[in-house]
Amino acid sequence: MSILILADHDDGQLAPATLNTVTAATQIGGDIHILVAGDSGGEVAKSAAAIAGVSKVLTADDAALAHGIAENVAPLMQSMASSYTHLMAPATTTGKNIMPRVAALLDVMQVSDIIKVESADSFQRPIYAGNAIATVTSNEAIKVVTVRSTAFEAAAAEGGSAAIESASGSADVGLSNYVKSELSSSERPELTSAPIVISGGRGMQDGANFAMLEKVADKLGAAVGASRAAVDAGFVPNDYQVGQTGKVVAPDLYVAVGISGAIQHLAGMKDSKVIVAINKDEEAPIFQVADFGLVADLFDAVPELETTLG
Amino acid sequence: MKVLVPVKRVIDYNVKVRVKADNTGVELANVKMAMNPFDEIAVEEALRLKESGGADEVVAVSIGPTQNQETIRTALAMGADRGIHIEAPHEIEPLAVAKLLKEVVAREEPGLVFVGKQAIDDDCNQTGQMLAALLGWAQGTFVSGIEIKGDSAAVIREVDGGLEHLEIRMPAVVTVDLRLNEPRYASLPNIMKAKKKPLDSMSAADLGVDIAPRLTITRVEEPPAREAGIKVCDVAELVDKLKNEAKVI
């Protein structure tokens, strides 16, 4: 068995989800290589080479591969595929964008968003917003797999000493050009890997009211998230969204504030270890999954929570 | 320019799905079905493009059993001009769907394909990217904004860190995200009119595509149930429980 993992990175830093993907690969077994495709000048490759369990890092450094342009990265991965039994990537927006393109170029059906490795060719994955779990066996010669990072522990970021080799980069196929990014900047932890997440929903009524959640988040070292309703209403940017089609989180503590608990939202957070719900509607479905429910007006409870935390 | 919009028939997003007792799948019998919500957004965007003069025809295509014609009729009632139904099993995989759509593209020669970024049943998030790969076209995925500029399109993508702007060459496949638009409801007169709009039907075999599944679903089960917890009386009790019982803060 030999596995090639597409590193997720921003041409500066390796995304933590790559570490969880390495763990999933370790459970499959065999040689694990990481492909760093981009324009990062080698820094990302050094981080990748330090991950425990990785035996080789292949770098393709080319301006055309920067920003994870799928049309350029996919042919590169396709050209390397014949040496591998598995091609893997984290199920981040980068992995979700590129890997199906790779799979189709290889005439292979992808297994998306796995949450468990049963064997080298059999995996569990959620369907219907996580309301059912399917066990899927791939009969393909090359398995193309994306990995839900919250379902696997992160591999150790240090301790490995993989060899770094350069892979021949593919040329720009001239289909897509990167223009710019509008990224949310925050001092708080990243949503999908934060140990504590506090999310607001429609009940927040206004984007300005998220300042209340931010104050609590800062006391707890938490990330701030939101339900789709809050994002659709324009309270917060899209990258806050937790749910079936947003981000999936599984922190030690998830605090849902003013969130009713639609199944699409539950899909993104119900694997959290401890769930707290604060909602004035005691019939809200969120209470059915909450370990601790507080029926209260959030505009009273959240400031009080901040004060109580000291 | 012609716009092609693939639409999938799925269990309505409001329905709580039930796993079959024999663990072979989920219960589909007597369950309310509807158009995949992301595909509704794709239809809406195609219609808006037509209404603003950027497209002259919107063609909806659906792949699946005969009942998928209802989903096409929904797209026609929203305003699509005509429909194409490709008869296939309900459980067809994204790769096979992409191959069939490639054949439809070869026949119809659209300038743009709008498709939902994922279906809410299998949650695969693959079809658009695969179709773009098979066609050798550009792909704009998870798109929340689009502006056509002749032979290219400026797209805004919803990515993990925020938003990303790309310029993609046309023709292209664009997979749409939630914030692109709010789909219209079909009015009763338009529902009546839709019944008279043209709808072609063909089989996967007519298009010469092998749709045999590549994956085997060996088991489908309920996720582990979360036990309902307790209600606390006030914030002080909540903080106490989190500190001393759950030990998470």
Side-chain angles (χ1 to χ4, degrees), chain A residues 139-151:
Chain A
N139 310 311
E140 305 282 13
I142 300 173
K143 278 90 181 157
V144 177
V145 176
T146 63
V147 176
R148 177 173 290 198
S149 60
T150 55

Side-chain angles (χ1 to χ4, degrees), chain A residues 143-222:
Chain A
K143 278 90 181 157
V144 177
V145 176
T146 63
V147 176
R148 177 173 290 198
S149 60
T150 55
F152 297 88
E153 297 288 325
E158 302 291 334
S161 54
I164 300 179
E165 293 176 12
S166 60
S168 55
S170 62
D172 185 358
V173 298
L175 289 173
S176 275
N177 287 315
Y178 172 81
V179 179
K180 63 173 178 179
S181 297
E182 295 171 58
L183 303 182
S184 303
S185 60
S186 170
E187 300 292 303
R188 294 185 194 90
E190 201 267 319
L191 192 53
T192 55
S193 52
I196 300 178
V197 173
I198 178 162
S199 287
R202 196 194 305 272
M204 297 302 294
Q205 294 180 10
D206 195 309
N209 293 330
F210 269 73
M212 290 193 306
L213 301 188
E214 287 163 4
K215 284 182 192 162
V216 175
D218 289 341
K219 293 214 165 150
L220 293 169

Side-chain angles (χ1 to χ4, degrees), chain A residues 8 67 69-71 92-94 96-98 100-101 103-105 107-112 122 124-140 173-184 196 220 228 231-232 238-239 241 244-247 252-253 263-264 270-276 278 282 287-295 301 304-305 308-309, chain B residues 11 13-17 19 26 28 38 41 90 93-96 99 117-127 129-134 136-142 156-170 177-179 213-224 226-236 238-239 241-243 245-246 248-249:
Chain A
D8 191 341
H67 308 292
I69 296 289
E71 295 86 336
T92 54
T93 46
T94 306
K96 289 189 223 177
N97 185 35
I98 297 172
R101 192 162 180 117
L105 292 176
D107 190 22
V108 159
M109 179 55 203
Q110 172 177 303
V111 183
S112 295
S122 188
Q124 283 190 1
R125 60 178 303 268
I127 54 176
Y128 291 95
N131 286 299
I133 307 295
T135 303
V136 175
T137 302
S138 169
N139 310 311
E140 305 282 13
V173 298
L175 289 173
S176 275
N177 287 315
Y178 172 81
V179 179
K180 63 173 178 179
S181 297
E182 295 171 58
L183 303 182
S184 303
I196 300 178
L220 293 169
R228 177 191 168 183
V231 179
D232 282 359
N238 65 284
D239 50 291
Q241 186 179 323
Q244 179 183 17
T245 63
K247 287 180 181 156
D252 294 333
L253 171 62
I263 52 173
Q264 291 80 10
K270 70 186 163 84
D271 292 326
S272 305
K273 283 205 189 92
V274 175
I275 296 174
V276 169
I278 300 174
E282 64 178 313
F287 287 119
Q288 291 164 19
V289 299
D291 299 282
F292 303 107
L294 176 60
V295 180
E304 194 185 338
L305 178 61
T308 313
L309 290 169
Chain B
I11 293 184
Y13 78 102
N14 281 311
V15 171
K16 170 96 178 81
V17 300
V19 172
V26 304
L28 291 171
F38 287 94
I41 296 170
H90 178 77
E93 292 173 349
L95 180 63
K99 288 179 177 180
K117 77 162 180 178
Q118 78 188 65
I120 61 162
D121 52 1
D122 60 24
D123 283 332
C124 276
N125 194 333
Q126 299 176 8
T127 301
Q129 296 90 313
M130 287 181 156
L131 176 61
L134 297 177
W137 287 9
Q139 66 187 48
T141 54
F142 327 143
I156 303 172
R157 306 180 56 229
E158 293 201 354
V159 295
D160 289 335
L163 299 174
E164 181 183 83
H165 296 244
L166 292 182
E167 190 154 290
I168 60 173
R169 204 168 84 188
M170 299 276 278
D177 215 319
L178 294 170
R179 254 82 54 187
R214 308 289 189 83
L215 307 179
T216 312
I217 296 177
T218 51
R219 188 176 168 80
V220 174
E221 57 205 319
E222 300 264 359
R226 244 197 123 90
E227 284 177 35
I230 57 161
K231 292 260 170 66
V232 293
C233 299
D234 53 31
V235 170
L238 174 63
V239 172
K241 295 275 188 200
L242 292 178
K243 276 188 177 156
E245 197 172 298
V248 286
I249 59 171

